[in-house]
Amino acid sequence: MFKSLSLTLSFLIASAPAIAVERPPQFVLLAFDNCQENQSWKQVSDFLDQMNTGSKDRLRYTFFLSATGLLADPVRHTYTDPMGRTGKSNINFGGGEDEVIERVRWINKLHRDGNEIASHAVGHFPGQDWSVAQWRHELDQYDYIINNVASINGLKGDKAKAATLAFSADQIRGFRAPYLQGGKNLIQVLGERRYAYDTSDSNQGWEPTTWPKRFLEALGGKGLWNFGLGFLTLNATQITEADLKAGLPRQKKSIKLPAMDYNFCYRQTGGCAEKDPFKAEQDKDAQEMLVGYLNYFATNYNGNRAPVHIGHHFQQYRGGSYNRALMRFARAVCGRPEVKCTTYKELTDYMEKLGTTGRNQVQEGRFDKAAPVSIEELVQSAKLASE
Ligand SMILES: [Zn+2]
């Protein structure tokens, strides 16, 4: 009798940890990488304007900006990459000077509206094996470009004014490595500088209900926040590159992958080639991604409220179907009570206030739970959410 009572009690204690902290908001971090195409700047800007009409704080994005977009093609050789070459990049340079000026206008507008501009380096190279000196060089080049867009592009007068960013490099506090390939030397170099967080680590994300931690390597554990992308486990239609070549059909099975448009494109089409072999199924495939995102949100919202991290690109993979699905996701979740669809800077501020003890308590879910949201309800509201 006594024994079974104590067992029951210990079960209750284990399943409902004592309340220790105030319930945290559900942070949702929606970010874009590269950020080159002016048409996509317009699309995200229009969407933010719609979302924030009436309730100003419904949605903010973080933009991981590649600095190549700020160098017009004729001045591409002013950039020296960490391998010592000039004028090279794995993504486009800025195009004509008018395109650069238009890009700066969008960046300044969205920055003014409270969105965050963070760094995605300059040349879009995989830097996993770079030395400390090579990373320092790349980040120096980045800062130089941010601070001198007009003069590097040889612009004068009104054009120079229009091509000047409304912020300086030292206000940029966040980083995401191209191809998510950063590594230890990157973390050291970011830690030496003004950076507050890095979002390149794809290991911590293997458990999507993980509250962020700091990188232990940097500054004795007091350094950068590690905001890695969430990894999802879901049933999705997929094919390998080899099976695609062999003419085999796609299969639906369980996969684990980061919450990123490119990764869905890659797995669902066997390589994410520009010419989509499954064009007729773009929206159906994007729907699988959307349901994966909604499950990610519901699990965390109903659980320990660990932040939801999703990364997309300005490039419109598969006819823009993934980015349209992301907009449906934002409409379905952003603006709900206790949900903050906001910038990494705001998450950084929250984590700093929470402190290590608070972070460990929310990780364990030691707070009073809210009424749960059902996945059916979320799927329904995502269906109702127009593009
Ligand atoms: Zn990128």
Side-chain angles (χ1 to χ4, degrees), residues 138-365:
E138 177 75 352
L139 298 189
D140 285 344
Q141 292 273 292
Y142 191 86
D143 289 359
Y144 181 74
I145 295 170
I146 293 289
N147 290 336
N148 299 284
V149 179
S151 62
I152 296 172
N153 285 287
L155 301 171
K156 302 236 157 51
D158 284 349
K159 281 190 175 183
K161 231 186 201 173
T164 300
L165 289 168
F167 50 90
S168 62
D170 58 17
Q171 287 167 270
I172 292 179
R173 308 291 308 285
F175 192 82
R176 177 172 287 161
Y179 309 102
L180 304 177
Q181 288 196 30
K184 273 199 164 163
N185 290 338
L186 167 67
I187 299 308
Q188 184 193 317
V189 175
L190 292 174
E192 291 168 359
R193 300 181 176 207
R194 62 186 184 265
Y195 290 90
Y197 69 86
D198 172 67
T199 64
S200 319
D201 180 28
S202 46
N203 291 317
Q204 92 144 19
W206 279 98
E207 181 45 74
T209 55
T210 306
W211 273 86
K213 287 185 187 170
R214 294 176 190 272
F215 281 99
L216 292 178
E217 295 96 322
L219 306 179
K222 288 189 183 149
L224 298 177
W225 286 100
N226 180 357
F227 296 148
L229 284 171
F231 267 70
L232 312 180
T233 304
L234 76 163
N235 270 316
T237 307
Q238 58 191 298
I239 189 161
T240 63
E241 282 173 270
D243 284 357
L244 179 69
K245 261 193 202 137
L248 294 170
R250 298 195 298 168
Q251 286 183 319
K252 195 160 179 168
K253 50 183 181 185
S254 178
I255 47 170
K256 204 165 193 181
L257 79 178
M260 190 170 244
D261 52 358
Y262 175 78
N263 301 72
F264 275 87
C265 181
Y266 192 90
R267 296 291 287 270
Q268 289 179 321
T269 66
C272 199
E274 208 153 312
K275 193 174 179 316
D276 184 359
F278 306 100
K279 207 170 172 202
E281 287 155 289
Q282 287 173 338
D283 285 324
K284 202 169 132 268
D285 291 350
Q287 177 75 11
E288 289 181 350
M289 182 196 77
L290 172 61
V291 172
Y293 289 178
L294 292 171
N295 270 305
Y296 179 19
F297 174 84
T299 302
N300 290 22
Y301 180 90
N302 296 337
N304 71 354
R305 295 267 169 109
V308 163
H309 305 268
I310 295 174
H312 273 226
H313 290 79
F314 270 28
Q315 195 175 333
Q316 303 292 338
Y317 298 116
R318 305 193 69 198
S321 57
Y322 297 113
N323 277 339
R324 288 194 297 275
L326 182 71
M327 288 192 270
R328 283 201 202 98
F329 173 79
R331 283 192 192 277
V333 309
C334 302
R336 283 177 180 267
E338 302 184 26
V339 175
K340 275 181 178 287
C341 292
T342 191
T343 59
Y344 277 101
K345 176 166 187 323
E346 206 176 312
L347 176 63
T348 305
D349 293 344
Y350 184 83
M351 295 307 300
E352 302 279 353
K353 277 202 199 104
L354 197 57
T356 308
T357 311
R359 183 262 166 213
N360 293 338
Q361 286 164 336
V362 292
Q363 177 63 45
E364 290 166 22

Side-chain angles (χ1 to χ4, degrees), residues 56-130:
K56 282 186 169 269
D57 289 327
R58 197 170 163 199
L59 175 61
R60 296 278 178 271
Y61 285 139
T62 302
F63 299 103
F64 291 99
L65 179 71
S66 298
T68 46
L70 301 173
L71 301 176
D73 292 349
V75 299
R76 57 192 287 164
H77 289 283
T78 57
Y79 164 56
T80 308
D81 70 28
M83 285 68 73
R85 306 167 305 184
T86 62
K88 297 260 187 249
S89 168
N90 280 352
I91 55 173
N92 290 339
F93 280 83
E97 66 179 40
D98 289 347
E99 285 171 77
V100 171
I101 289 170
E102 192 189 339
R103 197 166 292 120
V104 169
R105 191 169 62 80
W106 285 119
I107 296 167
N108 284 342
K109 187 248 180 207
L110 288 156
H111 176 260
R112 195 169 59 234
D113 290 349
N115 303 283
E116 181 177 357
I117 310 297
S119 172
H120 196 46
V122 187
H124 214 281
F125 299 112
Q128 191 78 44
D129 300 323
W130 285 354

